[in-house]
Amino acid sequence: MLKSITVLAVVLAVASAELHRVPVLKQENFVKTRGNIKAELSHLRAKYGLPVGRAVEEELSNSLNMAYYGAITIGTPPQNFKVLFDSGSSNLWVPSKNCPSYACEVHNQYDSSASSTYEANGESFSIQYGTGSLSGFLSTDTVDVNGLSIKKQTFAEATNEPGTNFNNANFDGILGMGYQSISQDNVVPPFYNMVSQDLIDQSVFSFYLARDGTSSQGGELIFGGSDSSLYSGDFTYVPISQEGYWQFTMAGASVEGYSLCDNCQAIADTGTSLLVAPANAYELLNEILNVNDEGLVDCSTVSSLPVITFNIGGTNFDLSPSAYIIQTDGECMSSVQYMGTDFWILGDVFIGQYYTEFDLGNNRIGFAPVA
């Protein structure tokens, strides 16, 4: 009996060692405003290659206020950065010491001259965002993600950050975790290099995002698998329908018996706090939720609003009004937005309720209720 217990303990220890945990920080006393949502939609339109339209003055004065981010280092000795771990993009970028933009000056900046492992690349780099182009050049160095040391990782040094969207961002840069096929300049994403350099045992990463409380401990990003203590039941897996974003076919979505979609496309995006819906679903939801022209709902009605149900792989995933309504400054806003897509984008509103596993090796994505 003692021998079997010992063997079990060893097996559990080995299994635990295979999971590499990255603490996900959450902005304390996080507040999302209507202005932040406008800035985020502008950012999303550019990220998904959608028309941005005419910039308005109010949007130009807003910032990307995102709740979740984590720590990495670049270079030798290590230089510290906070990044948004974004499954909706595939490049790593941080501000450069050579960047005169205000957004760079108020964030940590990478100094290649201070790193003994820096390798020059110099190729120009650009990503379109809502108020202009984030631009710079590529460099190569060691990138460390909580002890996972990625050698010769190519990333972008931003030398110009557009508008004011990033001025007050609570992160320095973005670490993309999508497929390489959507990587600017076909740069190999950090997760791909983790796999090829045998830093992890399985080509899987998973997200647990805490939704309650004001603690700065916002959850965990796990490389190499998933932690069964963070979810209940079993995962429901569906295949990736298009390798670029983490895109899959959703069997359906409904509210109060009304169909919102049938066999529709959806993307799991850790880089947005919102739910983005196609036009017909958005209009129907606004009518049912009684959303006004400013995106607001009557706060006194929130507890009686209906559950939104997403059917993925034959399993129903429910979102209660407490999950999809944003309450701030005495106002109640719907987190369901529209930006011209014919697919759904499931952001932190959804991922915060359902532990999400991104399985690159098997080209599939899985969801399970958080424990």
Side-chain angles (χ1 to χ4, degrees):
M1 180 67 177
L2 180 61
K3 181 178 179 181
S4 63
I5 292 175
T6 302
V7 170
L8 177 60
V10 170
V11 170
L12 290 175
V14 170
S16 175
E18 293 173 349
L19 300 181
H20 301 270
R21 303 171 186 272
V22 179
V24 175
L25 306 176
K26 185 179 181 185
Q27 182 180 348
E28 198 166 350
N29 300 316
F30 177 74
V31 174
K32 175 72 77 177
T33 67
R34 277 187 283 168
N36 300 140
I37 289 175
K38 287 185 177 181
E40 190 172 338
L41 285 172
S42 178
H43 172 82
L44 284 175
R45 286 190 182 98
K47 185 164 78 168
Y48 287 96
L50 300 167
V52 175
R54 181 178 296 176
V56 299
E57 184 176 351
E58 185 177 8
E59 285 182 342
L60 294 176
S61 65
N62 295 327
S63 65
L64 277 176
N65 187 22
M66 300 293 293
Y68 301 98
Y69 48 93
I72 67 168
T73 67
I74 303 177
T76 308
Q79 301 175 39
N80 297 312
F81 299 93
K82 291 177 181 176
V83 294
L84 177 69
F85 291 107
D86 179 16
S87 65
S89 66
S90 298
N91 290 87
L92 168 61
W93 66 262
V94 295
S96 172
K97 185 183 178 182
N98 299 313
C99 176
S101 301
Y102 178 78
C104 293
E105 293 177 353
V106 295
H107 289 92
N108 291 338
Q109 298 167 277
Y110 172 74
D111 182 359
S112 61
S113 66
S115 175
S116 62
T117 46
Y118 163 73
E119 296 179 20
N121 179 297
E123 183 179 342
S124 62
F125 176 87
S126 178
I127 296 179
Q128 287 296 131
Y129 285 125
T131 54
S133 173
L134 183 147
S135 58
F137 57 90
L138 299 179
S139 293
T140 299
D141 208 334
T142 299
V143 173
D144 189 284
V145 184
N146 205 38
L148 294 175
S149 183
I150 309 169
K151 308 299 183 185
K152 299 182 181 298
Q153 175 64 51
T154 298
F155 62 99
E157 294 189 45
T159 56
N160 178 56
E161 294 195 23
T164 60
N165 277 353
F166 293 103
N167 284 7
N168 300 313
N170 40 28
F171 52 88
D172 303 306
I174 293 177
L175 192 153
M177 304 185 72
Y179 282 81
Q180 186 176 352
S181 60
I182 60 169
S183 173
Q184 295 289 327
D185 300 310
N186 200 35
V187 172
V188 179
F191 184 67
Y192 279 63
N193 281 329
M194 286 185 187
V195 174
S196 65
Q197 295 177 24
D198 295 324
L199 300 180
I200 52 179
D201 293 329
Q202 297 183 67
S203 52
V204 173
F205 63 91
S206 56
F207 274 88
Y208 163 70
L209 301 179
R211 300 299 284 176
D212 298 323
T214 59
S215 169
S216 62
Q217 298 305 308
E220 283 188 325
L221 163 58
I222 295 178
F223 291 102
S226 298
D227 184 345
S228 60
S229 70
L230 297 175
Y231 62 90
S232 60
D234 298 320
F235 277 107
T236 296
Y237 290 102
V238 288
I240 296 302
S241 57
Q242 184 171 328
E243 296 177 19
Y245 304 107
W246 287 91
Q247 182 173 335
F248 57 94
T249 300
M250 187 161 61
S254 61
V255 60
E256 286 195 328
Y258 293 96
S259 175
L260 296 171
C261 80
D262 182 39
N263 286 325
C264 42
Q265 293 298 296
I267 292 168
D269 186 352
T270 62
T272 177
S273 64
L274 305 172
L275 288 173
V276 176
N280 290 342
Y282 174 73
E283 291 169 3
L284 178 57
L285 275 170
N286 276 4
E287 182 178 347
I288 292 174
L289 303 181
N290 198 24
V291 178
N292 68 21
D293 292 340
E294 294 182 327
L296 302 177
V297 300
D298 185 343
C299 289
S300 68
T301 67
V302 170
S303 61
S304 62
L305 292 178
V307 167
I308 303 174
T309 299
F310 300 91
N311 187 284
I312 301 172
T315 301
N316 285 337
F317 296 85
D318 293 338
L319 281 187
S320 66
S322 62
Y324 65 76
I325 296 295
I326 301 168
Q327 301 190 43
T328 177
D329 294 333
E331 294 182 334
C332 294
M333 300 175 287
S334 171
S335 65
V336 183
Q337 301 291 316
Y338 172 68
M339 61 178 201
T341 66
D342 58 0
F343 53 83
W344 289 78
I345 300 175
L346 307 182
D348 299 343
V349 169
F350 184 87
I351 295 170
Q353 305 300 316
Y354 296 102
Y355 189 108
T356 303
E357 182 182 276
F358 300 80
D359 187 345
L360 182 67
N362 292 302
N363 286 319
R364 65 180 185 173
I365 190 166
F367 304 97
V370 297

